[in-house]
Amino acid sequence: MQERLKELQEEAIQKVEQSSSLKDLNDIRVAYLGKKGPITEVLRGMGKLSAEERPVIGALANEVREAIAAKIEAKQNHLEEAAVLEKLASESIDVTLPGRPVKVGNHHPLTKIIEEIEDLFIGMGYEIAEGPEVEQDYYNFEALNLPKGHPARDMQDSFYITEEILLRTHTSPVQARTMEKNNGKGPIKIICPGKVYRRDNDDATHSHQFMQIEGLVVGENIRMSDLKGTLDVFAKKMFGQDREIRLRPSFFPFTEPSVEMDISCKVCGGHGCNVCKQTGWIEILGAGMVHPNVLEMAGYDSKKYTGFAFGMGPERIAMLKYGVDDIRHFYTNDVRFLKQFSVEE
Ligand code: 2NL
């Protein structure tokens, strides 16, 4: 019987050594140490042994069982550790591998134009001012020298919410509000970008919703020459140092005198082509000296304070700068169009 136990121990230990998985180990455990295993069987048969043999065999059987159990446990620890190491090795990350490129979008062409213009004027000491798109008739028209019934209101046919509330037709009300807030004091140097609305039928050059950027300077001794110098800096920075500007007399109800600014045509160098409609000049914006009525309504003494203002359409600037032939491209969100502006400057 002692020999049988020794054999069992050797046999089990050999199997444990040869095992290569936790499942094998468990099978061995069940086979040798389980309730139906050979060692349990030996212990069960102890009753048949003599009183001298019993403690010897009992002690040996326990020894054998513990030896096998210890061997199984050691092997189990070893297998578990090996599994962890293997998992770690297989999951290690090579941090030196190049990353996968992330698809990045780009700014909308109008956003690019507006930010470029903002930066340019911030560089000249201007601040950005914004205001509501749903506006009072007073700030959109009256405060800008466009009383009710004024014929020039027809040019800015609008979307009315009520008799007195409308979608703003230009960003000028932001400037009127800023002047009012300054309580008759200068100086003011602001740029007002934003969405504006007009009741219009959309075509290649018209949109019922579009962008505007206006500028306003109010202070003492602000003169027409300041306006001209400012617009010259703007035109050259925006379209190239080789561009000339030209001011033509015009009319706006909120400025007096009023002008329209053209830049020299780069395509033909001034000789006349399709882009400049054979004139050598391209119209860019409207401007003028702030009308005394507008200054007075905002609380300024128009004898002491003067100012200049200008307004332009970013769509038009973008169309000229990027060669876009239809304003509707800016609003139909065709990614094939928008992607062409993906190289950020
Ligand atoms: C254009 C012309 C212009 C202004 C906008 C303005 C604002 C105030 C007072 C005086 Cl608060 N003027 N704005 C002046 C002249 C022209 O815009 O063709 N815009 C697209």
Side-chain angles (χ1 to χ4, degrees):
M1 192 159 266
Q2 276 165 314
E3 242 163 66
R4 170 85 183 119
L5 282 170
K6 283 280 171 204
E7 261 171 36
L8 281 172
Q9 177 172 353
E10 261 168 50
E11 199 182 291
I13 284 174
Q14 202 180 0
K15 283 197 174 154
V16 169
E17 274 166 2
Q18 284 164 358
S19 72
S20 58
S21 73
L22 292 171
K23 187 188 171 303
D24 286 354
L25 267 188
N26 203 43
D27 290 347
I28 296 166
R29 191 198 325 272
V30 172
Y32 287 87
L33 307 179
K35 276 186 203 141
K36 290 177 189 158
I39 295 173
T40 311
E41 207 176 299
V42 168
L43 290 170
R44 234 184 245 136
M46 295 256 288
K48 291 188 206 124
L49 297 174
S50 66
E52 297 88 59
E53 268 182 317
R54 211 175 288 154
V56 180
I57 299 296
L60 183 63
N62 277 331
E63 222 173 84
V64 167
R65 189 168 59 183
E66 272 158 35
I68 295 173
K71 191 76 189 174
I72 289 176
E73 196 188 325
K75 181 77 182 197
Q76 184 170 341
N77 287 343
H78 173 78
L79 285 177
E80 279 170 355
E81 199 176 316
V84 169
L85 289 175
E86 197 186 332
K87 197 159 191 252
L88 280 176
S90 72
E91 286 178 2
S92 70
I93 300 166
D94 183 353
V95 292
T96 65
L97 279 174
R100 294 192 191 94
V102 177
K103 267 192 189 162
V104 287
N106 57 273
H107 281 149
H108 191 279
L110 292 178
T111 304
K112 287 180 69 165
I113 288 286
I114 289 168
E115 288 186 350
E116 196 178 333
I117 296 172
E118 284 177 354
D119 286 351
L120 198 159
F121 280 99
I122 285 170
M124 293 199 273
Y126 287 66
E127 285 175 64
I128 310 298
E130 287 175 320
E133 289 173 26
V134 181
E135 187 52 280
Q136 296 169 33
D137 184 275
Y138 176 78
Y139 290 110
N140 193 77
F141 289 130
E142 303 232 357
L144 292 156
N145 204 29
L146 278 150
K148 287 205 165 73
H150 192 289
R153 283 196 180 204
D154 292 349
M155 290 195 296
Q156 301 189 16
D157 202 359
S158 184
F159 296 103
Y160 278 85
I161 312 293
T162 69
E163 283 271 306
E164 296 298 329
I165 310 273
L166 71 158
L167 297 186
R168 68 183 181 191
T169 58
H170 45 188
T171 54
S172 311
V174 180
Q175 289 141 289
R177 286 170 176 275
T178 307
M179 281 193 282
E180 197 183 73
K181 245 193 268 162
N182 274 264
N183 280 319
K185 284 188 216 49
I188 293 176
K189 283 174 90 175
I190 51 169
I191 288 293
C192 307
K195 285 200 269 293
V196 300
Y197 306 82
R198 293 191 192 175
R199 218 207 70 113
D200 223 337
N201 292 313
D202 294 2
D203 63 24
T205 52
H206 294 84
S207 174
H208 61 282
Q209 179 212 298
F210 56 104
M211 295 289 188
Q212 210 182 21
I213 294 192
E214 287 190 60
L216 173 74
V217 173
V218 175
E220 293 178 50
N221 298 315
I222 301 295
R223 299 174 303 184
M224 190 89 182
S225 52
D226 297 315
L227 171 62
K228 190 176 179 187
T230 302
L231 294 180
D232 193 47
V233 169
F234 162 73
K236 287 184 162 66
K237 282 228 177 113
M238 201 70 193
F239 296 99
Q241 290 300 320
D242 52 348
R243 296 297 187 109
E244 297 291 327
I245 66 160
R246 171 176 91 166
L247 301 184
R248 282 180 288 110
S250 185
F251 172 81
F252 301 107
F254 23 84
T255 46
E256 184 61 35
S258 304
V259 293
E260 241 144 317
M261 182 187 88
D262 302 332
I263 57 167
S264 55
C265 182
K266 197 178 181 168
V267 176
C268 62
H271 300 297
C273 67
N274 281 337
V275 175
C276 60
K277 298 187 196 119
Q278 312 305 325
T279 64
W281 295 94
I282 301 166
E283 189 183 317
I284 295 294
L285 55 78
M289 300 307 291
V290 180
H291 196 292
N293 287 354
V294 174
L295 287 167
E296 295 284 343
M297 260 184 288
Y300 284 85
D301 177 356
S302 64
K303 297 236 167 30
K304 190 171 167 206
Y305 284 99
T306 51
F308 67 73
F310 54 86
M312 67 188 110
E315 285 87 350
R316 185 170 165 74
I317 308 282
M319 286 167 90
L320 286 168
K321 201 168 156 134
Y322 302 133
V324 177
D325 62 2
D326 194 320
I327 195 171
R328 289 168 293 195
H329 285 311
F330 295 118
Y331 295 105
T332 41
N333 285 338
D334 185 333
V335 286
R336 291 169 301 178
F337 171 75
L338 297 174
K339 261 195 198 158
Q340 296 177 73
F341 304 91
S342 68
V343 184
E344 294 290 334
E345 287 147 329

